[in-house]
Amino acid sequence: MTTTLMSYDDAIAAFDPAMGLEVHVELNTATKMFCGCPTEFGAEPNTQTCPTCLGLPGSLPVVNRKAVESAIRIGLALNCEIAAWCRFARKNYFYPDMPKNFQTSQYDEPIAFDGFLDVEVEGETFRVEIERAHMEEDTGKSLHVGGSTGRIQGADYSLVDYNRAGIPLIEIVTRPITGMGAKAPAVARAYVATLRDLLLGLGVSDVRMEQGSMRCDVNLSLAPSGSDKLGTRTETKNVNSLRSVERAARYEVSRQATLLSAGESILQETRHWHEDTGVTTSGREKSDADDYRYFPEPDLVPMAPPTEWVEELRAALPEPLRVQRARLQAVWGFTDLEMRDVVASDAVGLIEQTVTAGSSAQAARKWWVSELTRRANEDGIELAELPITPQQVARIQALVDEGSINDKLARQVFDGVLAGEGEPDGVVAARGLAVVSDDAALGEAVDRAIAANPDVAEKIRDGKVAAAGALIGAVMAQMRGQADAGRVRELILEKLAP
C-alpha cells in the first residue's frame, strides 16, 4: 500500500464521498435489557451478572419496559415511524465477549424506522435520513493484557468482563448521506453532536463517549466525481469522540482516494481508528446480514406498542433541538454568528447550565467558546471532557463580577481548577490571586509609574485622558495583574488633575 496519502483537497476534487453512520447508545435504565442485573458503570468485573445475561442453560429473557419506552421516545424525536408490531431476532456470531454466542437484536422488524435529523455545518443544513433505530443488547468487554497496542495481537493474555453484557442498546442507522463534498467529515461530527444533544435532552442516556455509552461506526465510500453509484465502503468501528469521528472520516477519504487513484480496489472491511496516530488500520472483512444467520428470537414474544402509549410519549417529548436553540438564542441575546460558534463548539448545554448557575449568557459564552474550547483543542479532547463544571465556570465569573479577580486572573483560576487544585475560591486563596484594591498600595504603584513616565504624565495634565492607559498598564505590570484597574485609573486622574 502507498504510504504517502493523497491530500484531502485533491481527494475531494477527484471523488465524491458517501457516508453511513451507525451510532450505538447505551440506555440509562437501572437494569439490563433482559434481566434484573444492575447497569452501574465501573463496578468490579463480573459482579453484575446472572444466568440470563451469561447465557446459561435454562435461563429465559424478559424485556425491559423502560428500555422499550426509551426506544420509542428516541424514534419519535428522530421523526421516525413507530412499528405497530416488531420482534427480536438472534444475530449469531462467536466472540469471547458474547456469552450466549449470539446477540439478541432486531433485524428486519425494528421498533422505529424512516426518520430524519437535520444538522447544520457552517450555516448549511444537511438532512440525515434515519433508516432505523432498533433495540439490542450490548456485549461484554475484553481486556488484552501485555503488548503495546491494547489489542489481542501481541497480548500475553486476555480477560473478559461480562458486566456490560446485556445492557440495553439502541442502534441508530442512517441511510447513505451524499452531496456533502468537502464538508463530509464535519457533517459526520455535527450529526453525532446533534444526536448526542437530542439524547441528553430526552434523558435516556448519559452519552458519555469516553465511557463507551455512545459509540459511532463510520461507514465511508468514494465514487468518481459526478458518478451516481456508491463505492465500496469501509466501516471504522467504535469511534468514541466527536473529534475522532471527524478525523476518522477525513483520513478514510484520503486513504481510499490514494488507493483508487493508484488503480487499486477498496476492500469491504471493518477498520480500527487509532487516536494517537490519527490513522485507521484493517480489522476483518465485513460480514453481510446473511453471515449472521438471523432468525426470530424464540424466547421472546413479538411486541405491539399500543397506539395510546406511543401518543402519550409523543405528547411528553421535550421541544425539538432547532426550537430549543432558537429560544435560547433569543433569551441569551446572541447574534446568529455567536450562536453558530456556540453550536460548532458543542457548548449549548454547557452554557445553559452555566447560566442556570448564575452567570450571564455572554460571560458563559466567552469562557466556554473561547478560553475553554482553546484548552480542549490543545489537549485533543471534547469540551465536555474538560475537568471543570458549569457551576465552577459560573463561580469564576461571579468572582470577576464581585471585583475579587479580573479576567486575566480568572484565566489563572481556570489553570488551577483544570489542574485539580480545588474549587475557584480555594484556587484564588492558594495562589494569592485576589485583586489588590487597597488605596495605599495602589497609590505607591501609581506614583512609581508617574515618576517612570513623565512624558505620559504631562499629556494627562494637558487633558489627554486617553494617555492614562499607558500608566494603568505600568501599574498592572508592577502588581502582577492583580490591581483593580478601575481604581488605578481614578487614582492616576486624581494625582494628575490640572
Side-chain angles (χ1 to χ4, degrees), residues 134-413:
H134 65 262
M135 295 180 288
E136 60 187 23
E137 59 181 340
D138 211 344
T139 61
K141 186 174 183 179
S142 297
L143 176 66
H144 305 297
V145 182
S148 59
T149 64
R151 301 191 184 280
I152 195 168
Q153 294 86 357
D156 296 326
Y157 59 91
S158 297
L159 301 172
V160 182
D161 178 7
Y162 288 120
N163 281 349
R164 198 175 69 180
I167 285 182
L169 276 183
I170 299 297
E171 181 175 354
I172 302 165
V173 182
T174 74
R175 290 194 171 93
I177 313 165
T178 58
M180 301 167 291
K183 293 181 180 177
V187 171
R189 175 178 182 145
Y191 168 75
V192 178
T194 304
L195 184 58
R196 183 196 61 183
D197 289 348
L198 180 147
L199 295 167
L200 273 175
L202 291 173
V204 296
S205 173
D206 62 12
V207 290
R208 296 286 297 273
M209 297 188 76
E210 74 280 6
Q211 291 184 0
S213 57
M214 182 176 181
R215 313 186 290 274
C216 180
D217 298 342
V218 181
N219 293 269
L220 190 137
S221 67
L222 297 181
S225 291
S227 171
D228 58 357
K229 294 182 179 180
L230 296 178
T232 301
R233 66 186 172 91
T234 62
E235 181 180 10
T236 304
K237 299 286 289 184
N238 295 328
V239 186
N240 65 354
S241 77
L242 300 178
R243 179 172 177 265
S244 294
V245 167
E246 183 171 7
R247 292 176 68 205
R250 189 179 183 92
Y251 177 84
E252 272 298 291
V253 168
S254 291
R255 187 190 71 85
Q256 292 187 24
T258 302
L259 289 172
L260 293 170
S261 296
E264 299 181 45
S265 59
I266 303 300
L267 177 65
Q268 183 175 324
E269 62 179 347
T270 63
R271 297 187 66 83
H272 300 297
W273 168 249
H274 300 271
E275 181 65 36
D276 52 349
T277 57
V279 304
T280 66
T281 57
S282 180
R284 59 179 173 83
E285 287 195 36
K286 178 60 180 171
S287 301
D288 290 316
D290 291 346
D291 299 318
Y292 292 121
R293 295 181 293 111
Y294 282 100
F295 63 85
E297 169 58 69
D299 291 334
L300 291 169
V301 298
M303 293 184 300
T307 303
E308 299 78 11
W309 186 34
V310 173
E311 293 310 312
E312 233 176 79
L313 295 176
R314 189 193 305 274
L317 287 176
E319 62 186 338
L321 273 180
R322 187 181 292 271
V323 175
Q324 179 206 46
R325 287 175 177 173
R327 174 180 59 79
L328 290 174
Q329 180 179 351
V331 170
W332 293 341
F334 290 176
T335 65
D336 288 346
L337 182 58
E338 287 173 336
M339 194 65 187
R340 188 182 304 168
D341 289 343
V342 167
V343 172
S345 299
D346 306 316
V348 176
L350 295 167
I351 290 175
E352 187 174 20
Q353 293 175 61
T354 305
V355 170
T356 300
S359 172
S360 71
Q362 285 292 353
R365 182 189 65 80
K366 172 184 68 178
W367 294 126
W368 284 111
V369 174
S370 299
E371 185 68 20
L372 292 171
T373 293
R374 176 181 62 79
R375 292 172 185 251
N377 289 339
E378 289 173 353
D379 293 343
I381 60 176
E382 304 301 332
L383 188 60
E385 294 175 35
L386 284 173
I388 191 167
T389 66
Q391 291 72 29
Q392 289 170 326
V393 174
R395 180 55 190 158
I396 292 172
Q397 182 57 40
L399 291 170
V400 173
D401 295 339
E402 294 165 8
S404 300
I405 59 174
N406 53 35
D407 276 6
K408 182 177 179 181
L409 295 172
R411 290 179 173 83
Q412 296 183 53
V413 180

